[in-house]
Amino acid sequence: MKTIRRVLNVIPSNSRTAAGFWQLGAFVALVLLRSSAVASDFCIDSDTVSFANSTVFEYRQGHPHLRRQREKGEPKRYTRRCFVLCRTTMQFQKFARFDPHTPALDDKALAARIRNVTRRAAWGKPLPLDQRVVFPGYPNLRAMSKARREVVRANIGLGWPTYFRPGNFRMLIVHDSNYHKETHANLDAALARGELFVGFLTTYPRLSINHAVLVYKRKPASQNDGIDRYLVYDPNHPELPRELTWSSHDHAFAYQKDWDFIGGFVCVYQIYGKWLQ
């Protein structure tokens, strides 16, 4: 409302006619529609990979336990890739496009194009459509990763280097509520700009969760309870969105309960928003 008042204040008084108001209304509506279209462009059913990140530990009601030793001949589990999958999702959203009407590439050519995308800085600005890396033969990332799973897995990056990211060391510092309020403001600002927000969730020094998720939409407020709700792509659960919440009363984030997390309070650190983050 404040922005609209400023616009009205700069309009000369002799132009404040009914036609002028209609033009202003049309302009504001167009801006809002364009903003909404950008923000809602991400679709969890098509813009994420078809496979899940596997946890290192086995979980029982949200509590970690050592897994049994892998038996001979049992496929190696795809673990430690939550950061990798969130980064890859953001990179494909910014730097890739799909063309289902042309023949698919062979494995070698497909691998080269995947690396062309995933070796770009995730925090870079999105490329225009005509400059993006083209992936023929598939309508979206979900379909391609389902049909060519092993090629995709082998070329989006290893998991262990993410343990040594410089931004991870923020978890060792005790942050007050002002830090969490700033993170919440940055989250809302990123979504308002139509951007994705990758968050590192942790309860350090407790080890109930150390995980990366991608926040892509703020849910409409359904009740005046002081809780902001966000839709999240969780690499451990690619089938459906998860929910991250912010309490304006507690000045704290919380993540939903599932088989791999007991639910409740988490610290959130933005990652891949800028260099060294």
Side-chain angles (χ1 to χ4, degrees), residues 9 16 42 44 49 67 109 129 133 137 139 153 160 182 184 191-193 210 215 228 248 252 260:
N9 288 337
R16 291 182 180 176
F42 182 84
I44 194 171
V49 298
R67 287 187 179 274
L129 286 179
V133 180
R153 282 183 173 182
W160 65 264
E182 182 180 354
H184 174 243
L191 296 179
R193 293 191 299 267
N210 283 290
V215 187
D228 296 339
S248 58
D260 53 353

Side-chain angles (χ1 to χ4, degrees), residues 153-214:
R153 282 183 173 182
N155 290 281
I156 59 176
L158 300 173
W160 65 264
T162 62
Y163 286 101
F164 304 100
R165 297 180 59 262
N168 293 357
F169 294 97
R170 289 172 291 175
M171 64 188 284
L172 302 177
I173 303 171
V174 177
H175 299 287
D176 60 17
S177 62
N178 288 328
Y179 184 90
H180 302 302
K181 286 191 287 186
E182 182 180 354
T183 302
H184 174 243
N186 291 340
L187 168 58
D188 278 345
L191 296 179
R193 293 191 299 267
E195 299 174 0
L196 302 175
F197 182 102
V198 181
F200 171 30
L201 312 184
T202 181
T203 53
Y204 183 85
R206 295 170 57 212
L207 299 178
S208 53
I209 189 170
N210 283 290
H211 189 41
V213 300
L214 183 147

Side-chain angles (χ1 to χ4, degrees), residues 201-264:
L201 312 184
T202 181
T203 53
Y204 183 85
R206 295 170 57 212
L207 299 178
S208 53
I209 189 170
N210 283 290
H211 189 41
V213 300
L214 183 147
V215 187
Y216 63 92
K217 186 177 182 180
R218 178 170 172 168
K219 297 174 70 173
S222 58
Q223 51 191 346
N224 188 21
D225 57 0
I227 302 295
D228 296 339
R229 295 174 171 83
Y230 301 89
L231 292 178
V232 167
Y233 158 62
D234 186 327
N236 292 1
H237 308 275
E239 66 283 356
L240 290 171
R242 264 42 188 178
E243 185 177 80
L244 178 74
T245 61
W246 166 261
S247 169
S248 58
H249 178 265
D250 298 327
H251 299 147
F253 287 99
Y255 196 51
Q256 78 172 70
K257 181 179 180 180
D258 216 308
W259 58 262
D260 53 353
F261 180 52
I262 57 176

Side-chain angles (χ1 to χ4, degrees), residues 3-4 21 26 52 56 69 147 179 206 211 258:
T3 303
I4 294 176
F21 281 117
V56 174
Q69 190 173 6
Y179 184 90
R206 295 170 57 212
H211 189 41
D258 216 308

Side-chain angles (χ1 to χ4, degrees), residues 25-204:
F27 171 77
V28 172
L30 178 61
V31 170
L32 292 176
L33 283 172
R34 289 183 64 184
S35 174
S36 176
V38 173
S40 62
D41 188 47
F42 182 84
C43 178
I44 194 171
D45 294 328
S46 58
D47 297 328
T48 61
V49 298
S50 62
F51 49 85
N53 172 68
S54 296
T55 57
V56 174
F57 295 100
E58 181 180 346
Y59 285 82
R60 300 168 195 162
Q61 297 182 339
H63 298 282
H65 299 268
L66 291 176
R67 287 187 179 274
R68 62 174 176 80
Q69 190 173 6
R70 185 163 56 100
E71 297 180 2
K72 186 177 180 180
E74 186 178 351
K76 187 176 181 180
R77 298 171 58 254
Y78 188 74
T79 61
R80 300 182 176 91
R81 299 306 205 288
C82 57
F83 282 75
V84 171
L85 291 175
C86 287
R87 170 183 52 74
T88 297
T89 301
M90 177 178 282
Q91 290 166 319
F92 267 82
Q93 189 74 0
K94 289 182 173 183
F95 311 129
R97 67 180 178 90
F98 293 85
D99 181 3
H101 305 295
T102 52
L105 302 170
D106 61 32
D107 286 356
K108 184 177 180 180
L110 178 59
R113 293 204 187 183
I114 292 172
R115 292 194 298 271
N116 190 352
V117 171
T118 57
R119 290 178 178 176
R120 297 170 185 260
W123 50 89
K125 293 183 179 180
L127 292 175
L129 286 179
D130 61 352
Q131 296 179 24
R132 296 190 175 202
V133 180
V134 181
F135 290 86
Y138 306 98
N140 50 55
L141 179 58
R142 178 65 66 101
M144 186 179 77
S145 62
K146 183 176 182 179
R148 311 289 288 278
R149 185 182 69 175
E150 297 309 316
V151 179
V152 174
R153 282 183 173 182
N155 290 281
I156 59 176
L158 300 173
W160 65 264
T162 62
Y163 286 101
F164 304 100
R165 297 180 59 262
N168 293 357
F169 294 97
R170 289 172 291 175
M171 64 188 284
L172 302 177
I173 303 171
V174 177
H175 299 287
D176 60 17
S177 62
N178 288 328
Y179 184 90
H180 302 302
K181 286 191 287 186
E182 182 180 354
T183 302
H184 174 243
N186 291 340
L187 168 58
D188 278 345
L191 296 179
R193 293 191 299 267
E195 299 174 0
L196 302 175
F197 182 102
V198 181
F200 171 30
L201 312 184
T202 181
T203 53
Y204 183 85

